[in-house]
Amino acid sequence: MSQNELSQKLIDRFGRQIEYVRISVTDRCDLRCTYCMPEGFKDFEEPTHWLSFNEIERLVRVLARMGVARVRLTGGEPLLRRNLPELVRRLNALPGIMDISLSTNGTQLTKYAIALKQAGVSRINVSLDSLRRERVTRIVGRDVLDKILAGLMAGKAAGFSPIKINMVAMRGVNDDEIDDMVAFCMEHAFILRLIETMPMGETGLNAEYLDLQPVKQRLQRQFGLVDGVLPGGGPARYLKTPDGGFNVGFITPISQHFCAACNRVRLSVDGTLYMCLGQEDKYEFRPLLRADVSDVEIERAFRDAIELKPERHEFLEMPHKIVRFMSATGG
């Protein structure tokens, strides 16, 4: 990499190159997961405050010129945003964007899987915390297990590869089901990702935290797992069976944080850029976009914003620090 190319990249104070942006396209969701959004929560952004597709495309175009190559669309539930495949097509056409993925709860996938694949989404992550109907209903607040499973099969039929299952593992809630989820993912060639709860907002603080390190060690012994690497640029650390037929990832912000290799930022639906889930520093881009500033000024703002990116989160030291909900930040 030449010095000129290096100077154009988006690099923070700690030498980490930012090449991955997670974009929330809505803060609305059709579920009420206990660790994400309170049951009675109604304080959604009004659509006039949401970034338009034109505004999102413009920000991603500028980011792509600074080396951002991966985009993940999130929510809320992103498939509640109307005409989402259109946005995917527009982002997929931008020079420099190499990978577009989607995080979803799966309830809408039967309707949109084919259109999303044709538009350019390459990979999907589907949230599924249990395979038991009553338990899913208790965790997400809706009787939707059948819809999620149907969505998964629709995604598989549409040709998404890989499909990752995101399971938030909670002590005394679903930790007795981890082996069942492993078997399910093995059967369908899905990748399992086990996730520790994070103390974000009242819901996160009240979630039953489970240290995944003992779980990792047990599965490693049980299946003879070895170190694995998967593309995607995310925070998971992967293990795989020796034949490569099954992969399991561990996202462990509490027991083994991944801050030293953090390469991502999050853009909320209202145009607020968050540099870290565990810090409150942010930069608001919507006022700049609607003041019709130049792309040069937008790029300068991104460079100013990345100076706010901390070396690491403080979930352990200050668990009550983050008062915003995960759904407001962008999955």
Side-chain angles (χ1 to χ4, degrees):
M1 183 182 295
S2 70
Q3 187 61 42
N4 184 52
E5 289 174 321
L6 187 64
S7 66
Q8 295 174 1
K9 301 296 182 182
L10 193 57
I11 298 174
D12 72 8
R13 294 172 294 153
F14 307 99
R16 298 170 297 195
Q17 181 180 335
I18 308 306
E19 59 93 36
Y20 177 15
V21 60
R22 299 175 63 102
I23 300 173
S24 174
V25 295
T26 178
D27 57 359
R28 295 180 176 175
C29 189
D30 51 348
L31 304 183
R32 290 294 182 272
C33 297
T34 55
Y35 49 80
C36 181
M37 187 187 298
E39 173 64 32
F41 182 71
K42 297 180 180 179
D43 189 22
F44 293 112
E45 289 285 340
E46 292 299 321
T48 55
H49 293 150
W50 291 359
L51 294 188
S52 67
F53 285 180
N54 286 341
E55 291 168 331
I56 293 172
E57 181 183 4
R58 186 181 180 200
L59 290 179
V60 174
R61 182 186 296 111
V62 173
L63 284 169
R65 289 201 294 263
M66 292 187 283
V68 170
R70 303 178 187 275
V71 175
R72 176 169 293 277
L73 301 177
T74 72
E77 171 46 49
L79 295 183
L80 296 183
R81 181 78 184 248
R82 287 184 298 174
N83 302 318
L84 188 65
E86 176 194 341
L87 176 64
V88 174
R89 282 190 293 271
R90 291 167 64 168
L91 298 183
N92 196 43
L94 294 176
I97 297 301
M98 307 299 293
D99 179 70
I100 299 178
S101 54
L102 177 82
S103 290
T104 174
N105 63 32
T107 61
Q108 308 294 316
L109 265 179
T110 53
K111 291 188 287 186
Y112 296 113
I114 293 174
L116 290 166
K117 189 69 171 65
Q118 292 175 342
V121 173
S122 58
R123 299 176 294 109
I124 57 173
N125 292 2
V126 178
S127 297
L128 181 62
D129 298 323
S130 173
L131 295 168
R132 303 177 189 178
R133 182 174 179 179
E134 299 80 7
R135 188 172 284 180
V136 168
T137 302
R138 185 164 65 251
I139 293 172
V140 308
R142 305 288 187 271
D143 182 5
V144 291
L145 178 59
D146 290 346
K147 291 180 69 174
I148 295 171
L149 295 177
L152 276 168
M153 298 309 128
K156 187 176 180 179
F160 286 109
S161 180
I163 294 176
K164 297 178 182 178
I165 302 297
N166 286 349
M167 179 183 187
V168 177
M170 294 169 281
R171 178 172 47 85
V173 177
N174 63 351
D175 53 333
D176 60 337
E177 231 182 311
I178 290 174
D179 285 1
D180 291 341
M181 195 67 77
V182 168
F184 174 75
C185 290
M186 284 183 167
E187 177 186 355
H188 294 285
F190 297 149
I191 294 169
L192 176 61
R193 304 204 312 172
L194 298 172
I195 304 172
E196 291 178 345
T197 57
M198 287 174 275
M200 292 187 62
E202 181 182 353
T203 51
L205 287 168
N206 291 335
E208 296 296 334
Y209 169 74
L210 176 70
D211 183 343
L212 284 179
Q213 297 308 314
V215 175
K216 181 178 180 181
Q217 293 164 10
R218 178 179 66 79
L219 292 178
Q220 196 165 13
R221 291 191 303 268
Q222 185 174 343
F223 295 100
L225 302 176
V226 297
D227 289 340
V229 178
L230 287 175
R237 294 180 174 94
Y238 285 96
L239 297 174
K240 64 179 181 178
T241 51
D243 65 359
F246 171 67
N247 291 266
V248 56
F250 299 85
I251 299 179
T252 54
I254 307 301
S255 67
Q256 187 183 16
H257 72 76
F258 35 79
C259 303
C262 184
N263 63 347
R264 70 204 69 88
V265 290
R266 284 172 164 80
L267 183 70
S268 70
V269 68
D270 66 358
T272 302
L273 192 74
Y274 291 97
M275 272 53 73
C276 175
L277 276 178
Q279 301 284 357
E280 290 286 15
D281 292 324
K282 60 187 178 182
Y283 201 106
E284 295 184 1
F285 279 82
R286 189 182 67 212
L288 297 178
L289 291 166
R290 298 189 180 177
D292 200 26
V293 302
S294 69
D295 281 1
V296 171
E297 291 172 282
I298 294 290
E299 179 175 334
R300 187 179 301 120
F302 274 122
R303 297 195 187 281
D304 290 343
I306 212 61
E307 288 298 304
L308 301 174
K309 189 170 177 64
E311 185 173 14
R312 60 183 301 272
H313 65 65
E314 296 177 332
F315 284 140
L316 284 176
E317 299 88 341
M318 304 179 69
H320 296 271
K321 181 176 182 177
I322 306 301
V323 297
R324 66 182 186 273
F325 300 122
M326 177 70 83
S327 59
T329 305

